[in-house]
C-alpha cells in the first residue's frame, strides 16, 4: 500500500515532466512555471540528481520557455538543499547564458548573480570562477557578453592569484574583436571598478575604461555612450586630483564626440557627473562643456541639456552661482528661447522659471522676465503651458505686483487662446494668482475673465471654471461670493443657450459645498426650481441631480415645500432619464 501511495504522489510529477517534453510550447511554458512544485514533490535529493540534469539538457527550446526557466532557477536554492548545494544550479544557467536570444542571456546572468551571493568563498573559487572563465573564453560572442556581468559578484571572494587572472580576462573582453562584447564590457566596467582594489583600479581598469571611451573600431558609438555612465561611476570612487588627471580628458571628449548619441548621453547624465566630480572641477571644467551642450547642433542634445539647467545651477556653490550663470549659462539660455525646435523650447520653459530663486529679484526682472514673456507668447502650446505651470516660483522672488505688470497682460491674452488646453492651464493657476493678487486687484483685472470661462465653447473649460469658483470662494469668502459670483452665475439660468443653463447647475453643485444652507435655500433653490420646467430634457434631469446633491444641506421645510413638489413633477416627466434621476433624488428626500 505504501508503494502505491508513493506512486500516486509522483504521478502528477511524471505528468509535469512529460509536459516539459511536449511539442506544445504553451504546455512546456506552463510546466516550467510549475518547476518549484515539481522540485518540492521530488525532494531536494531527487531535484539535484534528476531534475537539474534534465533541465541542463533542455536548452533547445523556444525563447519564452528558456527565459522562464532562467528566472525560475534564480530562486531554486532552497529547493536543492540550501546554499551548500547552490553550485548544482550553475550548469543549466551556464547553458542559458550562451544562447542567442539576448533577453534569455540577461535573465540567466541575473539569476547567476543572485545565486553567487549564496556561494561560500570556497565554492566561488571552486565552481563559480571556473564558470566565469569558461564563459569569458567561449567561442561564441554570446557567452563572452554574459561573462561581463559576472565579474563584479565573483572578484571580491577569490584569492589574490585568481583576482589577477580575472582582471586579465576582463581586459581581453574590453579589447574583444566583437563590438557586442565590448559594449557589454563597457556597461559593466563601472560596477567591476567598485570591487577592484584602488591600485589596480588606477593601473589597469581606468586605462581599459579610457580605451572603451575612445572606441573608434567600426565607429562603435554604442560602446562610447555606455562608457559615459561607467565613467561617472568610476569618478565617484576617485579623488578630485585623480579625476582631473585620469578621467577628465574622457569627459571632455564625450562632450564634443562626433556622435550625437554620445553627446546626448553626457547631457542626459550631466547632473550625475556634476555630483561625482565635485564643485571645483565643475567650476573649472564642466561649466564650459555644459554651455557647449546647450548650443549643440543637434536638437535632442540641446533639449536634454536644457532640461538640466535649473538643477545644474542649483547644485553650484552659492558663492559662485551668479558668477558662473551670468557669463556662461544665461547667454545660452537667451539663444534657446528663440530656438527653432519646439521640443528644445518646451524643455527650457519647464525649468527656466526655477532660475528666479537662484538669480534673485533684480536679475530676474532685468534678464529673465523678458525671456518669460517671449516663451509665454510662443506659437507652440506646450511651451506656453510649461511657463504657466511654474509661475509660483517667480511670484516668490519678484512679488505679485511686478508679476502683474509684466506677465499678467500676456496671461490675459493666453486666457483667450484658441487652444483650449492653454486656457485650461490658466484656469488651474487662477486661484494661485487670486490668492496673491488680493480681492481688489482680482475683481478689477481677472473676475470678468473667470466668468467668461463659464460660457466657453469647450465643456472641459466650463467644468474647470465651475470648480475654480469653489476655490475662489474659499479664498475670498462668502460675502465676496454673494456680491460678485453667485448673482452672475444664477443669471445664466436665463441664457438662451441650454449648455449655459446647465453650467448654472454645475456651478451650483460646487458652490453649494462652500455656501451655508440659508444662502442655498434663498438664492439657489428658486433658480433650480425654475429650471425644472426647462424645455430641454438634459437640463431637467440635471435639475434632479443637483437637488439630490443639495438635499443634505437643506432644512426639512425647504425640502418639503420646494424640493419634493418639484421632484414629484419631474417624476411624471415623459423623458426616462428625467424620471430616473427624479426618483433617485426623491429617495434621498425621504
Amino acid at each position: 500500500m505504501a508503494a502505491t501511495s508513493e506512486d500516486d504522489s509522483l504521478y502528477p510529477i511524471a505528468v509535469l515532466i512529460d509536459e516539459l517534453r511536449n511539442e506544445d510550447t504553451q504546455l512546456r511554458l506552463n510546466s516550467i512555471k510549475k518547476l518549484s512544485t515539481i522540485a518540492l514533490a521530488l525532494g531536494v535529493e531527487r531535484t539535484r540528481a534528476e531534475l537539474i540534469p534534465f533541465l541542463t539538457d533542455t536548452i533547445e527550446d523556444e525563447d519564452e520557455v528558456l527565459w522562464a526557466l532562467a528566472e525560475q532557477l534564480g530562486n531554486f536554492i532552497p529547493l536543492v538543499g540550501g546554499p551548500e548545494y547552490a553550485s548544482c544550479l550553475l550548469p543549466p544557467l551556464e547553458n542559458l547564458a550562451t544562447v542567442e536570444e539576448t533577453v534569455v542571456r540577461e535573465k540567466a546572468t541575473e539569476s547567476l548573480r543572485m545565486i553567487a551571493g549564496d556561494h561560500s568563498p570556497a565554492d566561488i573559487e571552486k565552481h563559480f570562477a571556473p564558470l566565469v572563465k569558461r564563459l569569458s573564453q567561449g567561442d561564441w560572442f554570446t557567452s563572452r557578453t554574459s561573462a561581463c556581468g559576472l565579474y563584479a559578484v565573483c572578484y571580491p571572494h577569490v584569492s589574490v592569484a585568481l583576482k589577477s587572472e580575472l582582471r586579465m580576462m576582463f581586459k581581453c573582453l574590453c579589447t574583444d574583436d566583437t563590438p557586442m562584447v565590448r559594449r557589454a564590457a563597457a556597461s559593466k566596467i563601472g560596477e567591476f571598478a567598485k570591487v577592484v582594489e584602488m591600485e589596480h583600479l588606477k593601473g589597469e581598469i581606468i586605462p581599459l575604461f579610457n580605451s572603451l571611451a575612445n572606441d573608434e573600431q567600426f565607429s562603435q558609438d554604442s560602446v562610447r555612450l555606455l562608457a559615459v555612465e561607467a565613467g561617472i561611476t568610476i569618478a565617484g570612487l576617485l579623488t578630485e586630483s585623480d579625476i582631473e588627471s585620469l578621467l577628465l580628458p574622457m569627459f571632455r571628449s564625450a562632450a564634443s564626440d562626433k556622435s550625437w548619441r554620445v553627446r546626448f548621453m553626457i547631457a542626459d547624465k550631466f547632473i550625475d557627473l556634476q555630483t561625482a566630480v565635485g564643485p571645483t572641477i565643475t567650476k573649472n571644467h564642466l561649466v564650459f562643456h555644459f554651455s557647449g551642450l546647450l548650443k549643440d547642433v543637434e536638437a535632442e542634445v540641446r533639449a536634454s541639456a536644457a532640461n538640466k539647467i535649473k538643477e545644474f545651477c542649483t547644485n553650484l556653490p552659492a558663492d559662485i552661482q551668479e558668477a558662473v550663470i551670468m557669463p556662461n549659462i544665461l547667454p545660452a539660455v537667451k539663444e534657446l528661447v528663440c530656438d527653432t525646435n519646439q521640443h528644445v523650447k518646451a524643455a527650457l520653459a519647464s525649468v527656466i522659471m526655477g532660475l528666479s530663486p537662484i538669480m534673485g529679484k533684480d536679475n530676474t526682472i532685468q534678464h529673465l522676465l523678458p525671456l518669460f514673456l517671449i516663451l509665454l507668447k510662443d506659437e507652440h502650446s506646450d511651451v506656453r503651458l510649461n511657463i504657466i505651470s511654474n509661475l509660483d516660483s517667480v511670484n516668490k522672488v519678484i512679488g505679485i505686483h511686478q508679476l502683474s505688470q509684466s506677465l499678467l497682460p500676456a496671461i490675459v491674452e493666453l486666457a483667450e487662446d484658441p487652444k483650449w488646453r492653454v486656457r485650461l492651464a490658466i484656469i488651474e493657476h487662477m486661484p494661485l494668482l487670486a490668492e496673491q493678487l488680493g480681492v481688489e486687484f482680482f475683481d478689477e483685472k481677472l473676475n470678468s475673465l473667470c466668468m467668461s470661462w463659464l460660457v466657453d465653447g469647450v465643456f472641459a473649460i466650463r467644468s474647470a471654471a465651475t470648480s475654480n469658483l469653489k476655490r475662489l470662494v474659499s479664498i475670498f469668502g462668502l460675502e465676496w461670493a454673494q456680491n460678485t459670483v453667485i448673482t452672475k452665475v444664477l443669471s445664466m439660468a436665463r441664457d438662451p443657450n441650454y449648455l449655459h443653463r446647465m453650467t448654472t447647475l454645475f456651478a451650483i453643485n460646487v458652490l453649494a459645498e462652500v455656501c451655508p444652507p440659508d444662502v442655498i435655500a434663498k438664492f439657489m433653490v428658486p433658480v433650480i426650481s425654475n429650471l425644472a420646467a426647462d424645455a430641454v430634457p438634459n437640463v431637467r434631469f440635471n435639475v434632479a441631480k443637483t437637488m439630490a446633491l443639495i438635499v443634505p444641506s437643506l432644512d426639512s421645510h425647504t425640502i418639503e415645500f420646494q424640493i419634493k413638489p418639484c421632484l414629484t413633477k419631474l417624476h411624471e416627466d415623459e423623458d426616462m432619464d428625467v424620471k430616473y434621476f427624479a426618483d433617485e433624488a426623491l429617495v434621498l428626500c425621504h
Side-chain angles (χ1 to χ4, degrees):
M1 288 294 292
T4 305
S5 175
E6 185 179 342
D7 290 342
D8 288 345
S9 68
L10 291 177
Y11 177 72
I13 312 308
V15 172
L16 287 171
I17 290 176
D18 281 342
E19 285 179 357
L20 286 171
R21 298 189 179 100
N22 197 286
E23 290 183 7
D24 187 331
T25 303
Q26 191 58 47
L27 273 177
R28 296 199 304 277
L29 182 60
N30 291 342
S31 191
I32 288 291
K33 290 178 178 177
K34 296 173 188 171
L35 272 182
S36 56
T37 306
I38 300 174
L40 281 168
L42 287 173
V44 294
E45 288 186 12
R46 290 191 66 188
T47 296
R48 293 195 303 268
E50 298 173 33
L51 183 59
I52 299 301
F54 171 77
L55 294 173
T56 304
D57 296 332
T58 314
I59 197 67
E60 299 295 332
D61 209 328
E62 298 291 332
D63 296 331
E64 191 178 5
V65 176
L66 296 179
W67 185 92
L69 175 58
E71 182 183 42
Q72 289 282 322
L73 290 174
N75 302 306
F76 238 60
I77 286 179
L79 302 171
V80 296
E84 62 184 296
Y85 297 104
S87 59
C88 76
L89 296 171
L90 298 182
L93 285 170
E94 181 177 352
N95 286 346
L96 291 167
T98 65
V99 301
E100 192 173 348
E101 178 54 48
T102 304
V103 293
V104 177
R105 294 200 310 272
E106 287 176 348
K107 181 54 71 173
T109 304
E110 183 185 323
S111 291
L112 281 168
R113 289 165 65 96
M114 285 170 62
I115 66 174
D118 288 305
H119 279 66
S120 65
D123 283 339
I124 288 276
E125 189 140 346
K126 184 179 178 182
H127 299 289
F128 201 90
L131 175 147
V132 176
K133 285 186 191 179
R134 289 192 298 274
L135 289 175
S136 300
Q137 295 164 356
D139 292 335
W140 289 94
F141 79 90
T142 53
S143 68
R144 302 199 297 277
T145 56
S146 295
C148 295
L150 301 176
Y151 279 80
V153 296
C154 176
Y155 186 88
H157 308 292
V158 298
S159 64
V160 173
L162 192 49
K163 282 182 176 180
S164 177
E165 195 176 344
L166 288 174
R167 292 195 305 274
M168 284 301 296
M169 286 192 296
F170 193 80
K171 179 180 180 181
C172 292
L173 294 172
C174 290
T175 55
D176 196 278
D177 289 338
T178 309
M180 286 77 82
V181 178
R182 298 200 304 280
R183 265 207 303 270
S187 69
K188 299 300 180 184
I189 195 170
E191 66 174 40
F192 188 41
K194 289 181 178 180
V195 298
V196 171
E197 299 80 2
M198 185 58 70
E199 58 179 302
H200 300 307
L201 173 63
K202 293 181 185 179
E204 297 177 39
I205 303 302
I206 290 179
L208 284 178
F209 162 74
N210 281 322
S211 73
L212 289 169
N214 296 296
D215 192 319
E216 296 292 340
Q217 191 174 357
F218 307 115
S219 301
Q220 285 301 313
D221 63 346
S222 59
V223 176
R224 300 198 302 278
L225 67 88
L226 286 170
V228 169
E229 197 164 356
I232 294 169
T233 303
I234 294 171
L237 306 171
L238 301 173
T239 62
E240 280 194 2
S241 60
D242 285 336
I243 293 171
E244 203 158 355
S245 61
L246 298 173
L247 293 180
L248 198 56
M250 171 265 161
F251 291 128
R252 284 176 175 157
S253 177
S256 56
D257 195 281
K258 63 185 179 182
S259 167
W260 74 267
R261 296 202 306 156
V262 177
R263 301 196 305 276
F264 175 86
M265 177 62 80
I266 201 151
D268 188 52
K269 301 291 180 184
F270 214 90
I271 304 304
D272 295 334
L273 175 59
Q274 180 187 18
T275 305
V277 302
T280 304
I281 292 178
T282 296
K283 177 188 173 184
N284 295 338
H285 303 285
L286 292 194
V287 170
F288 170 78
H289 294 294
F290 186 66
S291 177
L293 292 168
L294 290 171
K295 300 173 184 177
D296 196 274
V297 293
E298 287 291 335
E300 287 87 348
V301 179
R302 296 197 302 277
S304 181
N307 256 322
K308 307 293 185 295
I309 288 174
K310 175 190 169 185
E311 209 172 343
F312 178 79
C313 294
T314 303
N315 290 345
L316 293 168
D319 58 330
I320 66 165
Q321 280 179 336
E322 188 172 347
V324 168
I325 294 169
M326 297 305 288
N328 299 290
I329 307 301
L330 190 60
V333 169
K334 288 180 177 178
E335 287 183 31
L336 290 175
V337 165
C338 301
D339 199 280
T340 54
N341 186 282
Q342 166 190 350
H343 303 294
V344 174
K345 289 185 287 188
L348 177 67
S350 67
V351 297
I352 190 172
M353 312 293 266
L355 292 177
S356 293
I358 303 168
M359 293 178 63
K361 183 175 180 178
D362 293 340
N363 283 328
T364 296
I365 294 170
Q366 184 179 349
H367 298 289
L368 293 182
L369 272 181
L371 305 183
F372 299 160
L373 277 170
I374 293 170
L375 292 170
L376 260 177
K377 295 176 180 178
D378 192 86
E379 61 179 319
H380 298 106
S381 59
D382 54 342
V383 177
R384 302 193 297 264
L385 274 172
N386 286 344
I387 287 292
I388 296 162
S389 301
N390 292 283
L391 281 174
D392 53 336
S393 56
V394 181
N395 286 344
K396 294 171 185 173
V397 177
I398 66 173
I400 200 66
H401 179 70
Q402 182 69 46
L403 180 72
S404 66
Q405 284 188 334
S406 54
L407 295 185
L408 202 61
I411 291 171
V412 171
E413 187 180 326
L414 286 173
E416 296 161 354
D417 193 280
K419 292 186 174 63
W420 68 269
R421 291 182 190 277
V422 177
R423 302 200 298 277
L424 186 62
I426 292 286
I427 294 174
E428 289 169 350
H429 287 82
M430 195 55 69
L432 170 72
L433 288 170
E435 197 167 9
Q436 297 174 68
L437 284 167
V439 64
E440 289 181 18
F441 190 95
F442 179 84
D443 282 344
E444 181 186 344
K445 303 283 187 182
L446 297 174
N447 192 359
S448 59
L449 197 59
C450 287
M451 299 310 297
S452 71
W453 284 326
L454 290 169
V455 292
D456 194 278
V458 177
F459 174 76
I461 300 295
R462 299 196 300 274
S463 177
T466 57
S467 300
N468 198 39
L469 289 178
K470 175 186 170 184
R471 293 160 71 191
L472 291 172
V473 171
S474 299
I475 294 167
F476 292 145
L478 185 60
E479 186 180 347
W480 173 84
Q482 287 180 249
N483 296 334
T484 312
V485 173
I486 293 175
T487 306
K488 290 181 181 178
V489 168
L490 298 181
S491 68
M492 288 168 56
R494 298 187 296 275
D495 196 289
N497 188 328
Y498 85 94
L499 293 173
H500 300 167
R501 300 198 296 276
M502 283 173 61
T503 301
T504 299
L505 294 169
F506 299 149
I508 288 172
N509 292 344
V510 294
L511 289 172
E513 295 178 32
V514 289
C515 291
D518 60 320
V519 171
I520 298 171
K522 182 178 178 181
F523 296 105
M524 298 181 186
V525 170
V527 173
I528 300 169
S529 300
N530 289 337
L531 287 172
D534 198 278
V536 179
N538 280 24
V539 176
R540 297 199 300 277
F541 79 63
N542 272 292
V543 165
K545 289 169 77 172
T546 297
M547 285 184 168
L549 282 171
I550 65 171
V551 158
S553 303
L554 298 173
D555 60 86
S556 56
H557 183 273
T558 304
I559 293 171
E560 193 65 35
F561 292 100
Q562 294 187 65
I563 301 297
K564 274 188 179 181
C566 188
L567 288 173
T568 302
K569 186 178 178 182
L570 290 174
H571 168 71
E572 297 168 358
D573 198 279
E574 60 186 18
D575 187 276
M576 295 297 294
D577 291 328
V578 177
K579 289 177 72 171
Y580 172 79
F581 288 110
D583 288 346
E584 282 204 335
L586 280 168
V587 170
L588 290 171
C589 289
H590 292 304

